[in-house]
Every structure is written in structure tokens, then in C-alpha cells.
């Protein structure tokens, strides 16, 4: 098959070409089993998963959302969300790296030119990874930008500073969000090794510790004219960019919840002691514990069902992107993300509630599930999901086109 450049540090073979949704799920499960083995150790010691992320690239999973006319699988969004959940159950930091990659591919699908799609979809199918340079600090809100794209000769120059760029340490391509001279939002895709790009490994959050987040300093970076999407079409009309990004968010939270639930069942059945007044000899026979486990299990099923339903609605909106279909998908995904956020927090809290004091030992590192859930869910506040849905039903206010970054 030959080789392609990873654009930094070493050569990587071409990615596998996945032929079906069933194969994609099988590959995801196989990778997840591998990723889970050292996930706790990576978290404790903040060992970045370079080998694991390369394996993800080589697997072909990073190209599964690309449309068939560009030689992709064009996987359904329900299956995409489940694949993300499978990976996140093993290691949510790795799943978050994929989250930003797929978000960028959807932005390309929606707003890129045919030439841009041909070029960048081919890179994704080959195994290249796309990382974002989106968020900034020092602005009034998270959706504001100081980074600027200015014309120079046949191309452009971009200057600015980006923070919390999840996955950027593993990226082959940096996707830069910047305002042009008319204050309209643009997206530029530049190779990681482009002169003027400085990536700083400075993420020190207590969760998602190995997601490869960092700060990006952009000093007079040259961007060719054919590498700019802009003004960003996703902010001018209703599109599926936001719903796709959101359903991946929800898939990560569902995976975290499943991991916490599995740890709960394992600890309660093998290690936990019953409460002294429970009248039973095994923690797993405590009726209150049984009820609590049942409550979490049922909510996990409900969250998965909402995710599947939302995925089908996104499929419809991608095929026929009317405003009505996009709104329907947006509301469905908002419901799914609200529930997956809550179950991720609840499941990771319940782990300690039922497992008891011994489960808090540092060496077990069970707190990573709560830390990951709490950190990842902060990116997208649940309170605004309820507001978005309620405002639509009560007042007929449609979700803003830029309701997600």
C-alpha cells in the first residue's frame, strides 16, 4: 500500500479501509479492549497515548463518516455515537481526540468546496488526524475570537492564541478558527509543521488528563487560499455540524457512565461489604444496593436509546438539510446530551456510594471516572440544553445556528 507522512516525527502506514458498519463496530471493540489495559496507568502518570492514537488512525475508524462519493463508509450517526461510546468506556481521553476530528470532517462536508473535500477527506481516509484550534481565553464568552486571518498576496496570515485544544498534540492538521477582515468566522486547515505554529503541552485539568489538549500560539502563520473555509457556512444557515459534534459529546459521556457502572458491579460483587444493619452477608444482596444498581442500569439503557434516536434524526437532516429537520435533530441531540451528562455524573458518584470507603484507595484510581465525567461535561453545560428545548416548545424560539462552538 505504501506509506504516507504523518507530517511530524515519524512515518505511518496507510489506514485500513473499513467496508461495513459491522466491521467498524468490531474494530472499535477490539481497540477498546487494547486501550483499556493501561488506561488507568496512563491517567495516573499522564502518559500520553501516542501508540494508541496511531492504532486508532491505522484502524480506519477516523474515516468512517466520509461520504461514499469520496470513498468513505458514510456511517450512520447512531453507529458513530456507539463507536465513540465503546472507545470512551475504555479511555475517554482517546475518544475526545476522535470527537474533534469528526467535528471538523462534518464542517468540511457541510461547508467545504469540492476541491477541499477531495483533498482533506483523502487525508482522513489515509489516517491523518484533524485537531482543533478553536477556544480562546481572555474573551467575554467562549464563542468569541481574537484570532485574525488577514490577506497577504495569494493567501493569508493568521495570528492568535488558542487554549484547551483537545487532541492537538496528536494532530496532523490544525484547524484554526479565526475572524477575517469583515469579522466573519473562517476555518483554516494547515499542516501541523507549518512555520509559526507553536504547540504547548500545558493541559493540567484533573480529568481527561491524556486527551492531548494544549495551547497553540499562531505567529504569522501562512495559510493558502484553498485551505480556508469561510465565511464559516455553518453559522449562516441551519446545518448538522452542531448536532454531529454534540452526539459525539454524548457518546463520550455514555462511555464514561458505562465504565463507572461496570466498576460498580465488579466492586460490589467482589470487594464491598454490606452495611451492618442491612441484615445480609453480601453487599450484592443488600436490597437498597440492588435498587440503586437497577436505577443506573435503566438510565444507561434510556441514554443509549435517546442517542440512537438522535442519530437517526441527524441522518435525516444530513440527507435533507431543511431547517425543520436540523431543528428536529438538534432538539433530539440536546435531550440525549442532557441525559448522558447526568448519567455520567450519577454513575461515577454511585460507584463510591455503593462500593464504600475502600474504593477510594489511590491505587485503584476509580476516581478517574468521576474526574473524566466532571471535566468532559463542563464543555457543554446541561442547563442550556433544558433552556434550548424549553424555549423552543414554549416560545417557538429555534436553536441558534451557533448554539455549539
Amino acid at each position: 500500500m505504501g506509506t504516507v507522512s504523518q507530517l511530524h516525527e515519524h512515518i505511518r502506514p496507510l489506514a485500513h479501509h473499513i467496508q461495513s458498519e459491522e466491521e467498524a463496530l468490531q474494530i472499535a471493540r477490539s481497540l477498546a479492549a487494547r486501550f483499556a489495559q493501561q488506561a488507568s496507568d496512563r491517567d495516573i502518570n499522564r502518559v500520553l497515548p501516542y501508540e494508541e492514537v496511531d492504532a486508532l488512525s491505522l484502524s480506519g475508524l477516523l474515516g468512517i463518516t466520509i461520504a461514499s462519493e469520496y470513498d468513505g463508509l458514510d456511517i450512520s450517526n447512531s453507529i458513530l455515537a456507539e463507536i465513540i461510546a465503546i472507545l470512551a468506556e475504555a479511555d475517554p481521553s482517546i475518544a475526545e481526540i476522535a470527537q474533534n476530528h469528526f467535528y471538523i470532517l462534518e464542517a468540511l462536508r457541510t461547508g467545504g468546496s469540492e476541491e477541499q473535500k477531495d483533498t482533506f477527506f483523502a487525508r482522513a481516509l489515509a489516517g491523518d488526524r484533524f485537531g482543533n484550534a478553536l477556544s480562546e481565553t481572555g474573551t467575554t464568552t467562549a464563542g468569541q475570537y481574537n484570532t485574525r486571518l488577514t490577506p497577504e498576496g495569494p493567501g493569508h496570515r493568521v495570528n492568535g492564541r488558542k487554549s484547551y485544544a483537545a487532541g492537538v498534540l496528536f494532530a496532523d492538521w490544525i484547524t484554526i478558527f479565526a475572524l477575517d477582515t469583515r469579522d466573519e468566522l473562517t476555518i483554516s486547515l494547515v499542516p501541523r509543521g507549518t512555520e509559526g505554529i507553536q504547540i504547548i503541552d500545558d493541559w493540567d485539568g484533573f480529568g481527561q488528563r491524556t486527551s492531548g489538549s494544549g495551547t497553540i500560539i499562531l505567529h504569522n502563520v501562512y495559510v493558502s487560499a484553498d485551505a480556508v473555509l469561510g465565511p464559516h457556512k455553518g453559522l449562516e444557515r441551519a446545518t448538522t455540524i452542531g448536532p454531529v459534534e454534540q452526539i459525539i459529546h454524548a457518546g463520550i459521556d455514555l462511555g464514561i457512565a458505562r465504565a463507572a457502572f461496570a466498576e460498580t458491579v465488579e466492586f460490589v460483587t467482589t470487594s464491598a461489604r454490606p452495611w451492618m444493619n442491612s441484615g445480609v452477608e453480601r453487599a450484592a444482596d443488600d436490597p437498597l444496593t440492588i435498587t440503586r444498581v437497577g436505577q443506573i442500569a435503566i438510565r444507561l439503557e434510556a441514554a443509549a436509546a435517546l442517542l440512537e434516536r438522535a442519530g437517526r434524526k441527524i441522518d435525516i437532516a444530513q440527507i435533507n438539510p431543511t431547517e425543520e429537520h436540523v431543528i428536529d435533530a438538534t432538539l433530539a441531540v440536546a435531550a440525549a446530551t442532557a441525559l448522558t451528562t447526568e448519567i455520567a455524573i450519577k454513575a461515577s458518584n454511585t460507584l463510591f456510594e455503593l462500593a464504600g470507603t475502600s474504593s477510594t484507595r489511590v491505587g485503584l484510581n476509580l476516581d478517574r471516572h468521576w474526574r473524566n465525567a466532571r471535566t468532559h461535561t463542563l464543555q457543554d453545560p446541561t442547563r442550556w440544553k433544558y433552556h434550548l428545548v424549553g424555549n423552543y416548545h414554549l416560545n417557538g424560539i429555534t436553536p441558534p445556528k451557533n448554539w455549539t462552538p
Side-chain angles (χ1 to χ4, degrees), residues 90-121:
D91 189 333
S93 287
I94 294 176
E96 187 173 358
I97 295 163
Q99 169 191 315
N100 290 283
H101 171 89
F102 287 123
Y103 167 62
I104 293 160
L105 292 185
E106 182 65 8
L108 271 166
R109 189 192 69 80
T110 301
S113 67
E114 284 304 312
E115 292 77 10
Q116 288 169 333
K117 293 176 186 178
D118 284 337
T119 298
F120 293 114
F121 286 166

Side-chain angles (χ1 to χ4, degrees), residues 6-8 12 50 53 97 104 128-132 165-175 190-193 199 212 216:
Q6 191 184 359
L7 304 177
H8 60 98
R12 184 174 61 225
Y50 284 104
V53 174
I97 295 163
I104 293 160
D128 283 5
R129 299 184 290 263
F130 292 79
N132 80 68
V168 73
L169 299 184
F170 308 101
D172 299 302
W173 297 86
I174 310 296
T175 308
V190 297
R192 174 195 177 101
I199 299 173
I216 307 173

Side-chain angles (χ1 to χ4, degrees), residues 62-305:
L62 295 182
I64 56 176
T65 63
I66 293 170
S68 55
E69 56 263 39
Y70 301 97
D71 204 27
L73 180 59
D74 199 10
I75 201 166
S76 70
N77 285 283
S78 297
I79 298 297
L80 172 63
E82 178 60 22
I83 286 171
I84 292 294
I86 289 168
L87 296 176
E89 184 174 356
D91 189 333
S93 287
I94 294 176
E96 187 173 358
I97 295 163
Q99 169 191 315
N100 290 283
H101 171 89
F102 287 123
Y103 167 62
I104 293 160
L105 292 185
E106 182 65 8
L108 271 166
R109 189 192 69 80
T110 301
S113 67
E114 284 304 312
E115 292 77 10
Q116 288 169 333
K117 293 176 186 178
D118 284 337
T119 298
F120 293 114
F121 286 166
R123 300 315 311 159
L125 287 169
D128 283 5
R129 299 184 290 263
F130 292 79
N132 80 68
L134 173 64
S135 298
E136 300 182 14
T137 56
T139 57
T140 304
T141 70
Q144 293 179 328
Y145 303 93
N146 290 324
T147 302
R148 288 285 175 174
L149 182 79
T150 56
E152 180 178 294
H156 306 270
R157 295 284 179 178
V158 63
N159 288 274
R161 184 185 183 98
K162 300 289 186 175
S163 301
Y164 312 130
V168 73
L169 299 184
F170 308 101
D172 299 302
W173 297 86
I174 310 296
T175 308
I176 304 168
F177 289 68
L179 298 178
D180 63 15
T181 54
R182 296 172 296 179
D183 286 338
E184 294 182 318
L185 184 60
T186 65
I187 298 177
S188 301
L189 292 98
V190 297
R192 174 195 177 101
T194 301
E195 184 178 359
I197 295 178
Q198 181 184 1
I199 299 173
I200 304 172
D201 178 10
D202 60 356
W203 171 243
D204 63 352
F206 60 65
Q208 296 295 94
R209 299 188 67 225
T210 62
S211 61
S213 297
T215 293
I216 307 173
I217 298 174
L218 305 162
H219 179 66
N220 214 32
V221 175
Y222 181 76
V223 181
S224 62
D226 58 3
V228 178
L229 284 70
H232 185 20
K233 302 297 190 296
L235 301 184
E236 298 174 0
R237 55 186 170 85
T239 74
T240 51
I241 299 174
V244 167
E245 196 256 357
Q246 291 292 294
I247 201 170
I248 297 172
H249 262 294
I252 293 172
D253 294 335
L254 178 60
I256 294 171
R258 286 174 176 172
F261 180 72
E263 297 273 24
T264 302
V265 171
E266 173 69 18
F267 208 93
V268 168
T269 56
T270 63
S271 303
R273 296 184 296 176
W275 183 241
M276 56 188 174
N277 297 324
S278 65
V280 299
E281 295 184 359
R282 296 173 61 247
D285 294 327
D286 182 336
L288 298 180
T289 296
I290 291 171
T291 299
R292 178 66 87 171
V293 168
Q295 290 172 338
I296 297 298
I298 289 170
R299 283 168 172 77
L300 283 171
E301 285 296 314

